[in-house]
Amino acid sequence: MRRLLLIAVLALVPTVALAQEPAAPPAPPAAEIDPGAAAPVGLSERFTAAFIGLEPAGEPEVHPAARRDQPVLIAPLRLVEEGRLDATIATADRRMAAGTLVTHRRFSAGVAAEQSDRLEAWCGIGEERRGSRWSPATVCMVHTPDGQANLGGPLYSFFPWWLVTSLTFADVDARAPRVAVTPAASNSAFSLTVAFVRIREGQVRLSRRIVGPGQEEGRTSTFPMTTVDVPMTGGVAAWVYDGLELTLTPNRYRDALTVTSRRIAPPVDQTVAGGEGLARALRADDDEDAAPIEPTPGVIGGVLLRPERLAVAAGPVARGGVLASGSMEHARTGRFRQDTVIEGSMSPRIAAGTVAHRVEVLRTSALGTRSLSTFWCAPVSAMTVFGRQDDQQTCFRRRGGRYEGLWPDTGRSWLTTTDRSSTPLSRYLAALDIEESDTDLIGPMDVRFELQRLTPTLAVVRILARREEQDALVMTVSQPVENGTAVFPLWTHRLVLSVAGEQATATLAADGDGSGLAEVGAYP
C-alpha cells in the first residue's frame, strides 16, 4: 500500500506545473528517458481510469492540430477484468442473459465502518421489471456470503454499466445460483479523450472525458471529468499525460492549437508492481487491505461480558422474567491527555482528564455481509442557550482521515449502546489523544438477560445493563427454537433455553465454540 500512497502524492501535483517554465523544444524521437528523473508525470487521469478498472490498451494518439472541441489526445483503454456470463441468471425483478458482457466490481458493505466485508459483483446490461414490462437496465450479479447470488442495480441509473459505484436491491433476500464468468475473447473499446475548449486570460482550457460502451449496442457512454486550465508561458502551454508532454501552441486567432509531444517519463504502468500496471496494483492492494473482520471476544457494544460470572435463574422463566444475571465492565476506557478543542459551532471542547469509553458495533446486513465500527464516546462541553453545558455525550469515529462526532440515539452517560445518530452534528477532531487504561475508569455494571418473547419456534432475549438506578438496552438476540431448545452463543459458553409451553429454563454450558452474541444479536 505504501508504494501506491507515494504515487497518490505524486498524482496530487498539478499536471500543469511544468507549464510555469518556458517550454523546451521537442526532444528527438531517440532521446533516452531517465526513469528516476523528477518531473510531473500527469497521473490524475490515470488514477481516475484505474479506480474505474481501466488500463492502457496502447500508446496515446496525439493530434497535431485541433480546433475548438476537437481532441488533442486520445488514449485507448480497456477493462482489467471483463468477461461473459456462461448462463442466464434471473430473480423476480432482474435478469441477465447468457453471453452478457460483464465487468468485475467491488463494493464495501459498510460505508462508515472501519472494517467491512467486500461485495463482489459482475455488472453488465440486463433487464429490470418495471410494472408488467421488462426494460434494459444495468444489472449486477452480486455474490452473497451463502455461496449464491442476488441481482442488484446502481442507485443512480444514469451511470453506464462499467461505472457502477453503489448498489440497490428490489429484494435483499432474493437468491439465484451463481453463474460462472468466462474471460472475454476481445476487450471492449474505451478511451480517454482530451479536447481543446478555448483560450482565455492566458490559459488553455482542456476538457477530459472517458468514453466507453453504452447501454445499447453500437452506442457509447461518456464519463466527464473536470476541465483543466493550462497556463501559457512565452505564448505556449505544456500539459502532461502519463509521462507524455504535449506542447500546445495557439494560432494568431486563438481558436486552434498546434500540438507536439515528447516523452519525459515512462508510463506509470511500467514502473508499478513490476510492470503489472496501476489498475491491477490498486486491486491487489485492495485485496491485501481486506482483512477478515474479527470482533473482540466477549465484547458487545461498549461492555465486556464474562460468561463465567453469570448466574442463571433457578427455575422456569416466563415472558419478562430474568434468565441470567451478573456483573460486567466496560470493554475499554481511557482519559484525554490534554484539553481538546473540537472543530464545530458552539465552542465545543473536551477537558484534560475526561474519561471516554470505547464502543464496538458489529452489524450484519440482509445480504449476510458484516461491518465493524469502533468509536470513542465522552462528555463534551459546549455553549447552549442556557449557558455552557458539560455533558453532551458525543462519540467520535474515524472518517476521511479525521474523527467525526455524532450524538448517539440510545444509551446513557455511562454507556453508549448504538452507532446510529438521527441528529445532524458537525464536530470533528484531527486526532484522539486518549491514554487507555487497564482498569474500568467508569465502573462496573449489572447485567441481566431478560426473556422478551417466546413462541414454539423463536426465543427473543434482551440484554440490559444497569447502573446508577438506570437501565440501558445493550442488545436484542433472537434465536430459533429447535426440538424445544434455543441456544445463545457466549464465546466460551452457551446459554441454553429449554422451552416448555410459555416458559423457558436456562442452563449455562461451558462448551462454547468461540462464536458470540455480536454475531447473532441486534444493536439498538
Side-chain angles (χ1 to χ4, degrees):
M1 190 64 180
R2 291 179 179 175
R3 67 171 184 271
L4 293 182
L5 290 175
L6 177 59
I7 294 172
V9 171
L10 292 174
L12 294 176
V13 178
T15 57
V16 299
L18 195 63
Q20 297 173 12
E21 300 291 338
E32 293 186 358
I33 300 165
D34 178 7
V41 291
L43 288 180
S44 62
E45 298 81 14
R46 287 288 295 108
F47 258 91
T48 299
F51 278 112
I52 293 174
L54 295 167
E55 64 182 1
E59 278 293 313
E61 176 188 356
V62 177
H63 290 226
R67 292 192 172 272
R68 288 178 179 173
D69 299 323
Q70 291 182 342
V72 299
L73 177 142
I74 298 178
L77 303 169
R78 66 188 175 204
L79 288 166
V80 172
E81 295 179 89
E82 187 176 18
R84 293 187 181 275
L85 292 181
D86 286 358
T88 296
I89 183 171
T91 60
D93 300 284
R94 292 184 172 95
R95 63 190 183 190
M96 282 196 292
T100 297
L101 196 64
V102 291
T103 184
H104 189 209
R105 306 292 293 172
R106 291 180 175 90
F107 303 91
S108 174
V111 177
E114 283 78 13
Q115 289 181 283
S116 61
D117 290 333
R118 305 298 173 91
L119 285 172
E120 305 285 335
W122 289 91
C123 300
I125 297 298
E127 291 182 305
E128 182 179 65
R129 186 189 292 276
R130 295 171 183 168
S132 60
R133 302 180 58 183
W134 288 92
S135 303
T138 298
V139 177
C140 295
M141 177 180 68
V142 182
H143 293 181
T144 53
D146 57 9
Q148 299 193 77
N150 195 352
L151 295 185
L155 186 60
Y156 303 107
S157 59
F158 49 80
F159 282 132
W161 59 270
W162 41 270
L163 194 58
V164 180
T165 57
S166 59
L167 289 173
T168 183
F169 299 88
D171 180 5
V172 294
D173 296 320
R175 294 292 185 270
R178 287 185 192 177
V179 171
V181 176
T182 299
S186 59
N187 295 101
S188 300
F190 290 81
S191 66
L192 168 72
T193 300
V194 181
F196 169 49
V197 178
R198 61 167 169 77
I199 298 174
R200 183 179 298 173
E201 297 177 352
Q203 294 182 325
V204 177
R205 172 163 290 185
L206 302 176
S207 66
R208 303 172 295 172
R209 62 185 184 273
I210 293 176
V211 182
Q215 300 297 90
E216 298 177 14
E217 188 173 352
R219 296 197 172 189
T220 60
S221 290
T222 299
F223 172 63
M225 301 168 62
T226 57
T227 58
V228 57
D229 291 322
V230 186
M232 293 192 299
T233 301
V236 299
W239 179 77
V240 182
Y241 167 74
D242 200 13
L244 186 68
E245 179 194 74
L246 305 186
T247 301
L248 313 173
T249 305
N251 65 1
R252 60 183 296 186
Y253 304 106
R254 300 202 164 195
D255 61 356
L257 296 175
T258 299
V259 185
T260 58
S261 64
R262 65 166 185 162
R263 185 158 288 284
I264 60 172
V268 66
D269 278 19
Q270 292 182 11
T271 60
V272 173
E276 71 174 4
L278 181 59
R280 295 176 189 273
L282 285 174
R283 296 205 167 196
D285 274 22
D286 185 52
D287 291 338
E288 181 181 326
D289 292 343
I293 294 177
E294 298 180 354
T296 307
V299 171
I300 48 173
V303 301
L304 176 62
L305 180 64
R306 301 183 189 276
E308 63 274 12
R309 295 183 182 178
L310 293 175
V312 298
V317 173
R319 178 180 176 182
V322 176
L323 296 162
S325 60
S327 65
M328 60 184 179
E329 60 256 14
H330 291 83
R332 178 68 67 178
T333 59
R335 293 185 186 275
F336 278 82
R337 290 188 174 91
Q338 56 188 353
D339 289 342
T340 302
V341 177
I342 303 171
E343 177 187 338
S345 60
M346 311 306 288
S347 302
R349 63 174 184 256
I350 301 174
T354 297
V355 175
H357 66 279
R358 184 179 182 271
V359 181
E360 175 180 297
V361 174
L362 178 72
R363 292 194 182 274
T364 303
S365 72
L367 284 173
T369 55
R370 305 186 305 165
S371 60
L372 184 68
S373 299
T374 58
F375 43 95
W376 285 86
C377 303
V380 169
S381 174
M383 294 299 298
T384 70
V385 293
F386 305 105
R388 180 164 288 277
Q389 187 180 32
D390 296 325
D391 58 352
Q392 295 184 2
Q393 186 76 356
T394 307
C395 299
F396 294 91
R397 62 187 176 189
R398 182 182 290 277
R399 178 176 287 187
R402 57 180 179 172
Y403 290 88
E404 176 189 53
L406 62 89
W407 279 341
D409 284 342
T410 63
R412 302 289 185 180
S413 60
W414 43 268
L415 181 65
T416 294
T417 59
T418 187
D419 60 341
R420 291 177 173 165
S421 174
S422 55
T423 305
L425 184 66
S426 295
R427 289 181 177 174
Y428 300 95
L429 283 175
L432 283 178
D433 189 10
I434 295 175
E435 182 179 2
E436 297 189 29
S437 173
D438 293 332
T439 60
D440 187 349
L441 299 177
I442 299 175
M445 300 154 281
D446 294 329
V447 60
R448 69 181 188 272
F449 286 63
E450 187 178 280
L451 184 60
Q452 182 185 27
R453 183 184 175 199
L454 186 64
T455 72
T457 59
L458 184 70
V460 181
V461 171
R462 296 199 310 166
I463 302 172
L464 296 107
R466 186 169 181 81
R467 177 181 169 83
E468 300 173 354
E469 302 301 317
Q470 294 178 325
D471 283 339
L473 176 62
V474 178
M475 174 176 281
T476 302
V477 187
S478 302
Q479 289 292 84
V481 177
E482 298 175 347
N483 300 320
T485 302
V487 178
F488 294 79
L490 299 175
W491 303 278
T492 56
H493 291 64
R494 294 184 307 140
L495 182 66
V496 182
L497 304 188
S498 299
V499 178
E502 297 182 352
Q503 294 183 321
T505 302
T507 57
L508 190 62
D511 58 356
D513 60 3
S515 60
L517 295 172
E519 286 91 335
V520 295
Y523 290 95

